[in-house]
Amino acid sequence: MVLNAQNIIAVFNNFKHSSKFNSYSELTSGHINDTFLIKTNGVHDFVLQRLNSYVFKNAKQVVLNKVKVSEYIQKQINSTDNQQVLSFIKTVDNLPYYEDEEGAIWNLSIYIKNSKTFLKVESKEIAYEGGKLFGQFLNLTNGLSVNEIVDIIPNFHKMSFRYAQFYEALKNASKKRVELAKLEIEKVIALKNEMHILENLKSNGKIPVRITHNDTKISNALFSETNKGLCVIDTDTVMAGIIHYDFGDAVRTICNTANEDETNLNKVSFNINFFEAFTKGFLKKIYKQLTLLDVENLALAAKTITFIMGLRMLTDFLNNDMYYKTTYEFHNLDRAKNQFKLVDAISENFNKMNEITFMEFKKLK
Ligand code: GN1
Ligand code: MG
């Protein structure tokens, strides 16, 4: 379907709302779905989204998961305040999603008013608020059974699975792309053992599996106009996981002094002050659920999730860009380079990071 105004209005009007469409704009920060802000003349504006059917083989189930998570959180916060949780709108046929003629799946949620997002964090306060918000999300979903949510992308953060995909891509990649990615490929091979430590702790039952968000980049957090954390969004990949990756993915995006797409690698470094502020906020909300072993592996989690993002971007580059949206030829390779530079910066700060997580945990316990 061509994503023009006429088609977007038609899809929007398949949902149950009493608002008149005013205008729309595309929200372009995501790498996967097509997302639009729909402005109306009514009480609410809306976020309309077409799910990526290559990434989400069972897109209907993604929406069912999302609705379940929102309803569960709504019950926990026990308030009608829809600033803290996403509210999904049903279709005129009373379904949680709309299926268009091509079989694509759409969902609609209420746009949370007076909110903003950050691609890059500019202050310790935002880092701290982000920590509280993602920690609180884990509190709110703590009682949700892993059996309630379908594993929407199996093995999503599983390192051995991502390595297998990488080796497969390497076998089939063009000579040119392999040559261009030579240094990154060497890096992936060199870090293999260390990057499996968390997976081993998880599979040996040392770190508990629970419902987690799995995509806690800072642009998935909404803030109020006064920079208070409001609501965690993009619940597409909420499923069974370990809290470490939620901690780590937030650190990956909060403490990077550059955007994820920055190509000038001199700008990529690790902001340890933001790490401290984020850790304070996160642990404040969630320390009661953590063991010392959990805390000892938080810094490693930041390194591991940053690495796995680089690995997936590199793999997609070798696969000629099948998965992530790209806007120029070597976009995915540039993204991978950015992430691997950040992995190095994390290594340089590793001891300090471990001191901080341990100290902050001790203060609270
Ligand atoms: C994707 O949905 P979006 O664009 O926020 C990806 C995440 C990566 C992220 C990198 C389903 O997230 O795993 O962290 O890009 N989501 C999926 O920014 O693969
Ligand atoms: Mg996502």
Side-chain angles (χ1 to χ4, degrees):
M1 176 189 287
V2 189
L3 296 175
N4 58 21
Q6 194 190 354
N7 287 336
I8 284 171
I9 296 171
V11 173
F12 176 59
N13 286 334
N14 275 294
F15 287 88
K16 222 189 281 173
H17 57 78
S18 47
S19 313
K20 199 169 163 322
F21 174 95
N22 235 335
S23 65
Y24 81 99
S25 55
E26 184 165 4
L27 303 172
T28 53
S29 83
H31 300 359
I32 308 285
N33 301 318
D34 300 305
T35 310
F36 303 92
L37 170 62
I38 308 282
K39 297 233 166 151
T40 78
N41 65 353
V43 184
H44 296 298
D45 293 329
F46 296 90
V47 176
L48 179 66
Q49 193 166 51
R50 179 173 74 172
L51 293 175
N52 179 321
S53 60
Y54 177 79
V55 169
F56 296 113
K57 306 292 181 218
N58 189 352
K60 290 181 185 171
Q61 188 59 52
V62 174
V63 186
L64 296 174
N65 276 359
K66 281 160 47 127
V67 169
K68 198 172 256 183
V69 169
S70 272
E71 285 174 352
Y72 187 82
I73 293 177
Q74 253 143 18
K75 259 191 244 147
Q76 304 308 304
I77 55 185
N78 200 12
S79 127
T80 47
D81 169 16
N82 55 14
Q83 294 277 104
Q84 290 176 62
V85 59
L86 292 173
S87 315
F88 292 93
I89 306 295
K90 287 194 171 156
T91 63
V92 288
D93 299 328
N94 237 1
L95 290 171
Y97 47 77
Y98 171 70
E99 182 170 6
D100 68 26
E101 311 83 63
E102 291 166 6
I105 299 301
W106 296 74
N107 67 83
L108 186 75
S109 59
I110 295 178
Y111 174 74
I112 296 181
K113 269 205 191 87
N114 305 324
S115 65
K116 58 181 173 183
T117 55
F118 296 96
L119 275 182
K120 195 161 72 106
V121 170
E122 304 288 356
S123 72
K124 275 203 304 203
E125 290 66 39
I126 299 290
Y128 176 69
E129 282 294 316
K132 283 199 303 187
L133 191 62
F134 286 129
Q136 179 64 0
F137 183 88
L138 289 167
N139 279 338
L140 291 169
T141 50
N142 192 28
L144 184 56
S145 158
V146 292
N147 303 321
E148 290 279 321
I149 300 292
V150 174
D151 215 12
I152 211 68
I153 304 182
N155 304 319
F156 191 52
H157 289 325
K158 190 166 185 181
M159 194 61 78
S160 51
F161 173 72
R162 296 305 184 184
Y163 264 90
Q165 288 184 319
F166 161 74
Y167 286 126
E168 189 60 29
L170 191 55
K171 240 180 14 202
N172 301 317
S174 71
K175 274 210 184 96
K176 181 182 170 196
R177 289 204 170 210
V178 172
E179 183 56 34
L180 282 167
K182 205 167 145 244
L183 294 178
E184 288 65 43
I185 292 169
E186 281 169 11
K187 174 145 218 137
V188 165
I189 294 168
L191 281 174
K192 189 167 176 187
N193 285 343
E194 186 189 2
M195 292 299 98
H196 279 79
I197 295 175
L198 265 183
E199 176 175 327
N200 294 336
L201 286 170
K202 180 183 168 206
S203 54
N204 293 337
K206 301 260 167 60
I207 293 180
V209 172
R210 44 156 293 157
I211 290 297
T212 53
H213 184 280
N214 296 307
D215 192 10
T216 50
K217 55 181 177 188
I218 192 63
S219 56
N220 281 337
L222 297 185
F223 291 86
S224 72
E225 280 166 338
T226 56
N227 290 343
K228 296 290 168 218
L230 269 184
C231 176
V232 175
I233 58 169
D234 185 3
T235 45
D236 293 6
T237 49
V238 171
M239 57 187 159
I242 57 177
I243 64 103
H244 290 75
Y245 295 134
D246 280 7
F247 176 88
D249 206 26
V251 169
R252 174 180 80 84
T253 47
I254 289 173
C255 303
N256 191 345
T257 51
N259 286 345
E260 197 179 70
D261 280 355
E262 178 58 59
T263 55
N264 179 354
L265 297 186
N266 292 326
K267 292 190 181 164
V268 176
S269 61
F270 189 81
N271 189 323
I272 192 78
N273 296 325
F274 289 2
F275 178 78
E276 185 172 14
F278 170 79
T279 301
K280 274 196 174 121
F282 188 86
L283 288 184
K284 182 175 179 190
K285 288 290 176 186
I286 205 186
Y287 75 95
K288 285 190 187 135
Q289 293 181 44
L290 301 183
T291 65
L292 187 58
L293 182 77
D294 286 333
V295 174
E296 282 168 353
N297 285 289
L298 289 175
L300 178 64
K303 185 169 177 180
T304 306
I305 200 83
T306 305
F307 174 84
I308 211 169
M309 293 305 162
L311 175 59
R312 288 172 57 201
M313 290 155 178
L314 175 64
T315 301
D316 200 32
F317 173 71
L318 295 172
N319 281 334
N320 296 325
D321 315 312
M322 314 265 289
Y323 188 95
Y324 293 113
K325 285 186 185 176
T326 51
T327 54
Y328 61 91
E329 197 182 4
F330 300 140
H331 200 160
N332 271 319
L333 180 60
D334 284 341
R335 287 175 175 146
K337 286 183 179 170
N338 178 312
Q339 296 299 297
F340 289 150
K341 173 82 193 288
L342 188 63
V343 168
D344 290 343
I346 292 176
S347 299
E348 284 158 23
N349 284 277
F350 208 62
N351 291 340
K352 268 186 268 167
M353 290 165 72
N354 273 320
E355 273 167 32
I356 289 168
T357 49
F358 181 71
M359 284 247 308
E360 293 303 325
F361 185 61
K362 226 174 67 179
K363 276 191 216 161
L364 291 160
K365 269 283 175 182

